[in-house]
Structures are given as structure tokens and as C-alpha cells.
Amino acid sequence: MTIERTVEAVWRIEAARLIAGLARTVRDVGLAEDLAQDALVAALEQWPGSGVPDNPGAWLMAVAKRRYVDSVRRQVTYERKLDEIGRDLTEFENPMDDIEIESHVSDDMLRLMFTACHPVLSAEARVALTLKMIGGLSTEEIAHAFLVPTPTMAQRIVRAKRTLTDASVPFEVPVGAELAARLASVLEVVYLVFNEGYTATSGSSWTRPTLCEEAMRLGRILAALAPGEPEAHGLVALMEIQASRLRARVAADGSPITLLNQDRSRWDRLLINHALAALARAAGLGGRAGTYVLQASIAACHARAVVAEDTDWTQIASLYAALVDVTGSPIVELNRAVAVSMADGPQAGLAIVDSLADEPALRGYHLLPAVRGDLLVKLGRRNEARVEFEQAAAKTGNETERDLLLGRAAEC
């Protein structure tokens, strides 16, 4: 069991680097993951008897590349493929005798992230593949996190790898205009993972902190690999500020606590300070603030307020207006309505909410009636508010949130 735990720990640390390095060699992400898994099986078989090697990551890489060479030997293109990977291994060679220190780990990791998050894949497939290949999570862990059966998640991952192969997606970091578009896809995937952890879309739990931690880890990796991209630092800042509130978001009985009612002494100040430093790095890179930098700036306004009454709602409303200009999103406009209601009164906020009533994108969005119900309560229109809360409860898939909304309806 000790060796198994050691192998598991090594795999979680080395998996992304291993798959990235192999993908650069074999030019196929799906094949790279299969080879990495073969190396993992070899470690489970051999390390209990031989002991853990001094450089386990290099051992896994050497074994995986040997497996690739062995498979190529069985093909008619053996000589050509062997030249491509720059090897001349003899049949009885020990993998540890020919360890190559990878000098392009950072580049390979960045290529792997851009490949796993390629727009040719659906958002669900990108999330699954990223958690599998870069996060090092097992298929069972990913399935559990998103409340789907393991076979369903396994098929999703298999289809994603097959799609990348069929589309001949190159294992490379894009350049120019394509880089900006693809970076947005990578950042979106990381934030999707975080949001599922921060506010679960379904199930009985309000939060899933493990997913938040994994998303922050992926975000920090991305920021380290792309230090000149303000949005990467902005996303790290945004996730860390939001994650700093996790301990204060849930009561002892598991019920959610809204932002304005949270005990701010329970917020993680270390995470907040780290986030503010990341936000400062993003600002220092210059250029027009993007979506994650603006969202992080909004979150920073809350983080800097020692008590809820100190919140600068006018500044938050202004930042949301800038975010609406960048995104054109009706969901962002709904958030702006909340900020405006805090800065200028509930009637001003309600006017914005009512202007969104016919937005197709918000038709099934439970927070539209939830926000409207809250503003109606503040205006003393409790019967109308009750109807809104009941509609919101019917639209959410999260059981804890549904109970909260039904409780608000009962209070009306």
C-alpha cells in the first residue's frame, strides 16, 4: 500500500509533464496518454520489488518511450519512425540507462494545455480532458466531481481524444490572432472547473472545494507558463479571491451563506493577498482590461472591505459596466443590476432586471427571478417576490440552493 500511494503521488505530480513530453515526440495526445498509462502500470509492477527510482519522472518517461519504440518496431514504418524520435535503442537496453533530461518541459506543458482545450472539442470534453491529462485526476474522480457515471465520463474522454486525432490538431502553441482565441478557450475551461467547485450546478452539496483547488493549481501553472498574458494572472486572482470565502460560504448545517452575510474574519487573507499581487501583475502588463481582470477587480473590491458596509458599490457598478462592454453578456448585466441596486437603490436595480426579462439567454437562468425576488422584497412587494423565488427554485438543479430559494419564498 505504501508503494501504491507513492506511485499515486508521483503520478499526480508527473502526469502532465509526462504526457506533454510524449505528445511532443509522438504528435498524438491520445497515444501519449496511453503510453503514460503503460508506464504507470510498469511502475506498479516493478517498483514494489526494485524500489522507487531516484528520478521517478525520468523513469516513467524512459519506459513510456520504450513502449512507443516497441510498438513502432511492429510496424513497417519502423526505421522512419525511429529516426523521428532520435533513438537507437537496442533490444535489451535498460530504460534507466538512457534517460534524457527534458529541456522543454514548460513549452510542452503549454502545448498540452492548448491541445486539451482546443475549440474543436465541446466545453464538457475540454474540461474532462484537461482534468485527466493536466490535472492527473482519474476518470472515476472526474466522474464523481461532475456527478455522472464513470463509463459515461470514460466515453467522453475517449471521444475527445479521438476527435483531436481525427481533426489532426497540431501539438503546438498557436501564434498571432489564434493565440488570443485559443488562450480564451484554455482560461474558460479552467474557470468552468472552478465554478463547478465554487457553486455546484447539481447535487446536494453547495460547494466542491477539491475542484476549486484543482482549478487554482491549473491556473497557476498557466500563469507561470504564459507570464506575459494579463488574463492568465487575472483568472488566478479571481479564483483565489473567490476561494478565500469558501470557509465562510457554508453554515454548520450545510446551508449557503450569501456574500453580505458572511463572517469576513473567516476569509483566507493569505489567498486574498496572493490574489491582489496577481491582479497587480496583470495591471502592470498594460493593455485594455479583459474579462478576468475586470472580474478580479470586482472581487477585490469585496475583499478590501473589512465589513460589508464598507463595500464600494459605485466602483463595482462601474466595473460591471466595463465588463458588459467587453462581453455583451446579459448575465453580466444582471450582476450590474445588483451592484446598481446597492449603489442607487432597489428601484434602479429592478429597472435593469426588468429590461432583461425577454433575453433568450436568461430564459432558464434561475438567478434572474432570484435577483428580481430579492429586489422586490426590498421594495416591500412580498407577494410578487414569493412568485419569483418559487420560479427560481424550480429552475435550479442544486438541492441546497433550491431549499434556500424555497425558504425565501416562505418568508414572503
Side-chain angles (χ1 to χ4, degrees), residues 349-360:
L350 185 62
I352 298 174
V353 172
D354 286 345
S355 71
L356 298 171
D358 296 326
E359 278 286 344

Side-chain angles (χ1 to χ4, degrees), residues 110 113-114 179-180 182-191 194 214-241 274-286 288-297:
L110 198 55
M113 293 187 84
F114 275 101
L179 173 61
R182 293 274 296 281
L183 178 63
S185 175
V186 176
L187 296 173
E188 177 192 11
V189 167
V190 174
Y191 198 38
F194 181 86
E214 188 59 36
M216 287 189 289
R217 190 178 74 85
L218 293 174
R220 290 168 188 146
I221 290 173
L222 185 58
L225 297 177
E229 297 294 339
E231 283 288 80
H233 297 292
L235 178 58
V236 170
L238 173 60
M239 292 190 296
E240 289 183 337
I241 291 175
H274 192 279
L276 294 178
L279 185 57
R281 281 194 293 274
L285 291 170
R288 185 188 183 192
T291 57
Y292 297 111
V293 171
L294 286 170
Q295 288 181 78
S297 299

Side-chain angles (χ1 to χ4, degrees), residues 58-349:
W59 191 99
L60 291 168
M61 179 65 78
V63 170
K65 287 187 174 180
R66 167 162 287 287
R67 294 296 171 91
Y68 177 59
V69 171
D70 289 343
S71 68
V72 170
R73 282 197 176 105
R74 293 190 290 269
Q75 301 173 16
V76 294
T77 56
Y78 164 64
E79 292 295 339
R80 178 174 61 83
K81 290 291 186 181
L82 198 59
D83 288 339
E84 285 182 12
I85 66 171
R87 298 289 186 146
D88 187 15
L89 298 175
T90 62
E91 190 167 352
F92 301 103
E93 203 168 17
N94 186 327
M96 290 305 292
D97 291 339
D98 196 10
I99 293 172
E100 178 181 299
I101 302 301
E102 300 293 341
S103 59
H104 306 291
V105 170
S106 294
D107 289 344
D108 289 346
M109 284 281 287
L110 198 55
R111 290 188 188 101
L112 183 58
M113 293 187 84
F114 275 101
T115 302
C117 299
H118 196 282
V120 73
L121 301 175
S122 67
E124 287 182 340
R126 278 179 270 161
V127 168
L129 208 56
T130 298
L131 288 174
K132 188 79 164 63
M133 292 187 169
I134 302 169
L137 274 64
S138 68
T139 303
E140 291 79 9
E141 287 175 311
I142 302 170
H144 177 73
F146 287 91
L147 302 180
V148 299
T150 297
T152 300
M153 184 57 68
Q155 284 299 314
R156 189 176 298 172
I157 292 170
V158 168
R159 284 195 298 268
K161 290 189 287 186
R162 186 181 301 128
T163 298
L164 291 176
T165 300
D166 292 345
S168 299
V169 172
F171 185 67
E172 63 185 16
V173 177
V175 296
E178 189 182 356
L179 173 61
R182 293 274 296 281
L183 178 63
S185 175
V186 176
L187 296 173
E188 177 192 11
V189 167
V190 174
Y191 198 38
L192 281 172
V193 174
F194 181 86
N195 277 334
E196 184 61 31
Y198 191 69
T199 305
T201 55
S202 59
S204 58
S205 297
W206 175 239
T207 62
R208 293 175 190 149
T210 301
L211 279 181
C212 291
E213 292 169 5
E214 188 59 36
M216 287 189 289
R217 190 178 74 85
L218 293 174
R220 290 168 188 146
I221 290 173
L222 185 58
L225 297 177
E229 297 294 339
E231 283 288 80
H233 297 292
L235 178 58
V236 170
L238 173 60
M239 292 190 296
E240 289 183 337
I241 291 175
Q242 290 181 321
S244 72
R245 308 173 193 150
L246 281 172
R247 289 182 302 190
R249 290 189 78 226
V250 181
D253 62 358
S255 60
I257 303 174
T258 58
L259 177 61
L260 297 183
N261 292 320
Q262 288 172 15
D263 178 0
R264 299 190 176 205
S265 68
R266 300 192 66 201
W267 288 3
D268 188 330
R269 287 291 155 185
L270 183 62
L271 265 182
I272 290 173
N273 290 338
H274 192 279
L276 294 178
L279 185 57
R281 281 194 293 274
L285 291 170
R288 185 188 183 192
T291 57
Y292 297 111
V293 171
L294 286 170
Q295 288 181 78
S297 299
I298 293 167
C301 288
H302 292 293
R304 291 188 179 107
V306 178
V307 293
E309 291 74 19
D310 293 341
T311 306
D312 188 347
W313 287 106
T314 300
Q315 174 67 10
I316 291 176
S318 176
L319 287 166
Y320 268 123
L323 190 57
V324 170
D325 289 341
V326 171
T327 65
S329 167
I331 293 178
V332 175
E333 181 71 354
L334 180 62
N335 288 327
R336 186 177 78 87
V338 175
V340 168
S341 75
M342 298 299 293
D344 302 325
Q347 190 61 56

